[in-house]
Amino acid sequence: MDISSSKAGSSSCPSPIQRRRFLSGVVEGFYGQPWPNNQRVRMFQRLGQWGMNSYMYAPKDDAKHRQQWREPLSPAEISTISGLIDACRAESVDFIFAISPGLDMVYSSEQELNFLKHKLDQVARLGCKSFAVLFDDIELRMCEADNLRFTSFAAAHVHVTNAIYEHLNRPQTFLFCPTEYCGSRAVPSVMESHYLHTVGKHLDINIGVLWTGPLVIPRDISVQSIQEVGKVLRRRPVLWDNLHANDYDRQRIFLGPYQGRPLTLRRYIRGVLTNPNCECEANFVAVHTLSTWCSIPVPPAEPPPDHSPVGSPNSLSSSCGSACSVLSEVRASDDEFYSPESALQTALSDWSLEVNQRYPEESPELSSSQPPVFSPIGSTDSACVPDTSPSTPCQPVAVLSDEQMSLLVDVFHLPHSHGRLSVHLLRQLNWLWRSCGWSSFDPASVSAPSAQDENMCDISSIDLACQFTADQVMFPLPAPSPSSKDDSTAATTSMTSLSTDNSEMDVQSAPPSPLPSSGTWSPEYCQQWRQQAAAFHQTCDTVQQLGRSFLQIPNHNLLNNIFSSMIELQSAVTKVDDFVWKLESLTTEEQACLLLYWTEPSVRPSENSVSSLASQWTADYEPWCVRGGLAADLLRLLPDLSVLATPPAGVAAPDDDSGISDVPTTPPIESSVASFSALSPLPSFLSDLVPEVMAQ
């Protein structure tokens, strides 16, 4: 293996270890349209205001960053980068210029290395002092010339990175992203990865290594997992955190707080850079709560503080042995120091000023020769005439209330979870459809439910795009007593009435069975169902009112960022709300007909009859497995009406030429509603039950 330029980081020829500060900030490292320059500058302002110190320029879809990495920057691009560097410097934020040559680089070619050096020299001359070389998301293969010179892929990456680091005179901040950048991509595992061990042994000890955690987008990152990779890399990694990244599913947007990372993690990392939403203005909460996480003092350590040099193996291994025994205590102490809910409320208090603030129009251009005067953090609005001072905001317009601000975060929460009201809405819809209690049955013909049917429907029959525990989504919902409250009172639903803990939310005594063996329900149960339906409509109205109010906010940049996601959510809420209204409007005969279908064993939901991703998921899944967010999850909870193609006993079969035989009896869950329009031989009321859902 050729490590002629790699020995600076080897144990046999150690490099002087530099003192470094803890990195905190943002990496613009997603796939998709890069941020506009004026929004980048507002991000720099926020970073400086909140005490963060780093911004990494690494947009995947900037051609000169990745696909055309060899091409030098044009004069216009030089002017833009220079302006960004100056804007960062004005806020005391370190501008880190990253380049990603791994798609097609010949690592053994001196010419290729010179292309890389020349490109980075251009940026260094503009005053940039921090750099990163990224080898993420590339093919694990080398050309024949590289195979002749290097014994491994990692050796080639180390050779190039060390050479660039030396060429740039060993900058204080120089980062490297390995191809195996998370636990799930380490082959065969983190501790046994030849790639990571090679990087740890031969990469200069002063070069920081980027790491995303156990997964590309992990729900939680434990201290133990970071200690493990730190031991292999022989240094503390820099966390590239994808918690709020949404480039894999642009239907979703994530406004929830920074969480799932214990505060004591900071002892074992060199820094954390969040790679947030592709929509820049939607990242206020993500960055604000991260700044809170970074600014709170780390809880007192159970083991003695580590005073070994940062790059020394002893600085990591000394505390690895006792880590497992104190993890529970560490987690408990973290809760006392950093609370995601408290950090969120603080962020929302600050964000509401911007959401409801109208700002003068801004210039989209950024130039170092004539830097524009940027307005305060806010949005562009052509309807607002600029003041003589471009940084002076216009009169504030209160559009979203504090409760609606919380609800906005609730419905666009995090990749692995929904907010409290969103979970409540899902549980309401699931209970109403699975229960199918009606209020118009003839009381003389109904009988009491059987206790054996009480647990027929559970989480195993729910297909959601987020992981929930059984007590978070599992119905039954509470049903108010008919004698204690009327329908209008029972229908009232508010964010403030929900528990702060999803696991304790609305769990009360179970109403009668959703699927009585006798095929009928009691009048009391029917009234409870109607009251729950009224409450569901009220919850839907709350979400719809949020959408109407949000579309009126004066911050047009934020409005444009979230507009499509909000419209999609409103559409889904309208469809499920209409579905429940139609269930309520069925006649006694139609209800009885539907009951025959629903209670047929071949149609009745069970653990084995409905595919359930929720029951299979653990913390070790990537959120792109199922997409769509709350809007998609609401539609997933609608019934699979295509299973009604074969009528149960007591219902006349359709004519032979009806074409029903062409409809699959057990379609995949993704097409559970799409085939409903083909079920014309069913009773007409069934064909009309959810037509709007079919159109999507």
Side-chain angles (χ1 to χ4, degrees):
M1 176 178 68
D2 184 344
I3 55 172
S4 57
S5 59
S6 306
K7 291 185 178 180
S10 66
S11 58
S12 60
C13 185
S15 171
I17 298 173
Q18 301 175 355
R19 295 180 60 86
R20 297 179 293 262
R21 62 177 177 173
F22 186 88
L23 302 180
S24 62
V26 170
V27 50
E28 184 182 343
F30 50 80
Y31 292 90
Q33 183 176 358
W35 290 337
N37 287 325
N38 52 13
Q39 293 185 25
R40 284 172 173 153
V41 172
R42 280 195 296 273
M43 179 62 74
F44 303 160
Q45 293 173 347
R46 290 169 179 158
L47 294 176
Q49 178 183 352
W50 299 335
M52 308 183 85
N53 56 42
S54 300
Y55 162 82
M56 184 190 295
Y57 179 89
K60 293 288 195 297
D61 285 5
D62 179 347
K64 295 293 181 70
H65 164 74
R66 189 170 173 88
Q67 288 87 354
Q68 301 173 17
W69 63 270
R70 298 177 184 84
E71 298 295 323
L73 298 175
S74 67
E77 291 165 339
I78 290 176
S79 178
T80 295
I81 295 297
S82 179
L84 292 176
I85 294 172
D86 292 342
C88 274
R89 185 182 298 113
E91 303 297 334
S92 299
V93 173
D94 190 20
F95 182 91
I96 305 172
F97 184 84
I99 192 166
S100 183
L103 287 177
D104 57 359
M105 183 177 187
V106 180
Y107 303 107
S108 58
S109 170
E110 288 300 319
Q111 183 181 22
E112 296 276 79
L113 192 58
N114 288 333
F115 281 138
L116 199 54
K117 292 177 180 178
H118 176 68
K119 182 75 159 284
L120 297 178
D121 283 342
Q122 279 189 297
V123 181
R125 285 193 292 269
L126 302 177
C128 181
K129 298 180 180 180
S130 301
F131 299 88
V133 178
L134 314 181
F135 292 106
D136 56 323
D137 300 341
I138 60 176
E139 294 290 335
L140 299 175
R141 54 185 172 84
M142 296 187 295
C143 66
E144 183 177 355
D146 291 341
N147 285 322
L148 292 175
R149 181 170 179 182
F150 304 108
T151 59
S152 70
F153 204 46
H157 288 173
V158 167
H159 164 75
V160 171
T161 305
N162 281 342
I164 295 299
Y165 179 63
E166 293 293 339
H167 175 77
L168 294 172
N169 296 319
R170 306 173 63 82
Q172 184 177 22
T173 300
F174 192 90
L175 305 178
F176 163 79
C177 184
T179 304
E180 296 182 8
Y181 56 81
C182 65
S184 63
R185 302 202 173 189
V187 180
S189 67
V190 171
M191 296 303 294
E192 299 175 348
S193 167
H194 178 269
Y195 182 99
L196 294 178
H197 276 285
T198 301
V199 169
K201 183 177 181 180
H202 297 293
L203 188 70
D204 190 290
I205 199 63
N206 293 299
I207 298 176
V209 178
L210 294 161
W211 186 255
T212 67
L215 299 171
V216 179
I217 308 172
R219 185 184 64 183
D220 303 294
I221 302 178
S222 69
V223 169
Q224 184 179 8
S225 70
I226 294 298
Q227 288 176 322
E228 183 180 73
V229 69
K231 186 175 182 179
V232 173
L233 294 175
R234 306 187 183 195
R235 71 200 76 202
R236 296 181 176 90
V238 176
L239 192 60
W240 172 310
D241 204 326
N242 289 318
L243 179 63
H244 291 87
N246 71 334
D247 52 358
Y248 57 90
D249 185 359
R250 295 299 298 275
Q251 292 177 290
R252 305 184 69 183
I253 198 161
F254 304 118
L255 308 181
Y258 190 74
Q259 64 183 45
R261 288 84 174 117
L263 202 59
T264 45
L265 200 69
R266 296 211 326 250
R267 286 203 195 94
Y268 308 101
I269 58 176
R270 181 181 160 187
V272 55
L273 303 175
T274 180
N275 181 36
N277 295 282
C278 299
E279 297 78 12
C280 187
E281 289 299 316
N283 291 316
F284 189 100
V285 171
V287 181
H288 193 291
T289 54
L290 173 61
S291 72
T292 301
W293 186 87
C294 291
S295 63
I296 295 177
V298 178
E302 291 297 327
D306 178 17
H307 299 293
S308 301
V310 174
S312 170
N314 293 332
S315 66
L316 293 154
S317 60
S318 59
S319 57
C320 284
S322 59
C324 296
S325 62
V326 300
L327 281 180
S328 59
E329 297 179 18
V330 165
R331 179 166 297 180
S333 61
D334 278 350
D335 293 340
E336 299 174 4
F337 287 81
Y338 174 76
S339 165
E341 284 296 325
S342 297
L344 173 61
Q345 293 308 313
T346 302
L348 288 179
S349 178
D350 293 343
W351 196 27
S352 63
L353 300 176
E354 294 193 14
V355 171
N356 294 315
Q357 183 70 66
R358 188 185 299 271
Y359 285 91
E361 188 172 3
E362 300 171 357
S363 170
E365 299 299 327
L366 183 66
S367 170
S368 61
S369 58
Q370 295 181 339
V373 179
F374 291 92
S375 69
I377 304 170
S379 101
T380 300
D381 182 29
S382 58
C384 182
V385 179
D387 194 273
T388 54
S389 172
S391 63
T392 303
C394 298
Q395 190 68 25
V397 180
V399 177
L400 295 185
S401 65
D402 291 344
E403 186 176 51
Q404 286 179 319
M405 290 293 296
S406 296
L407 182 56
L408 181 65
V409 173
D410 188 282
V411 296
F412 301 115
H413 200 244
L414 288 172
H416 304 85
S417 64
H418 291 310
R420 294 190 299 275
L421 187 134
S422 301
V423 173
H424 183 73
L425 186 66
L426 290 164
R427 293 175 63 226
Q428 284 181 312
L429 176 61
N430 182 64
W431 186 88
L432 286 169
W433 167 241
R434 307 288 181 177
S435 299
C436 290
W438 315 109
S439 62
S440 60
F441 277 162
D442 181 4
S445 65
V446 302
S447 60
S450 170
Q452 66 182 359
D453 298 308
E454 210 162 285
N455 297 317
M456 278 300 301
C457 297
D458 58 25
I459 189 66
S460 64
S461 63
I462 304 175
D463 178 19
L464 300 175
C466 293
Q467 180 183 0
F468 301 112
T469 60
D471 54 1
Q472 285 177 315
V473 181
M474 191 170 180
F475 62 90
L477 292 170
S481 171
S483 60
S484 61
K485 295 184 180 180
D486 57 25
D487 285 1
S488 61
T489 304
T492 303
T493 302
S494 171
M495 273 289 291
T496 57
S497 67
L498 299 179
S499 167
T500 56
D501 184 353
N502 287 345
S503 63
E504 299 176 357
M505 184 175 58
D506 296 330
V507 179
Q508 298 181 12
S509 59
S513 166
L515 291 174
S517 58
S518 61
T520 54
W521 290 274
S522 67
E524 292 79 8
Y525 177 78
C526 295
Q527 183 169 352
Q528 288 178 333
W529 191 96
R530 297 284 293 185
Q531 290 173 345
Q532 288 296 336
F536 176 77
H537 296 315
Q538 182 65 38
T539 307
C540 290
D541 289 344
T542 301
V543 177
Q544 295 287 32
Q545 181 57 48
L546 167 68
R548 290 189 292 269
S549 298
F550 181 80
L551 295 179
Q552 302 301 317
I553 64 171
N555 188 329
H556 287 186
N557 283 340
L558 179 62
L559 176 61
N560 292 336
N561 282 177
I562 306 182
F563 178 81
S564 60
S565 297
M566 181 63 74
I567 293 298
E568 183 178 10
L569 176 61
Q570 285 188 294
S571 175
V573 170
T574 298
K575 290 171 183 177
V576 297
D577 194 30
D578 187 61
F579 172 75
V580 174
W581 278 115
K582 290 183 177 180
L583 287 179
E584 293 181 82
S585 67
L586 297 180
T587 66
T588 302
E589 292 76 14
E590 291 170 342
Q591 294 169 6
C593 180
L594 181 60
L595 180 62
L596 286 173
Y597 282 94
W598 188 241
T599 57
E600 176 69 16
S602 62
V603 177
R604 182 181 301 176
S606 67
E607 292 188 10
N608 297 324
S609 63
V610 181
S611 173
S612 172
L613 288 174
S615 64
Q616 301 171 12
W617 285 346
T618 66
D620 298 327
Y621 85 97
E622 297 284 7
W624 59 68
C625 295
V626 178
R627 305 184 180 187
L630 177 59
D633 282 348
L634 286 168
L635 299 183
R636 287 188 183 97
L637 287 182
L638 292 179
D640 182 1
L641 295 179
S642 61
V643 302
L644 305 183
T646 303
V651 179
D655 296 335
D656 292 338
D657 58 354
S658 64
I660 269 294
S661 59
D662 296 332
V663 180
T665 57
T666 56
I669 204 69
E670 291 81 0
S671 60
S672 59
V673 189
S675 59
F676 181 79
S677 59
L679 306 181
S680 55
L682 292 175
S684 59
F685 81 91
L686 286 176
S687 300
D688 296 335
L689 192 57
V690 283
E692 292 85 356
V693 179
M694 309 311 113
Q696 74 146 1

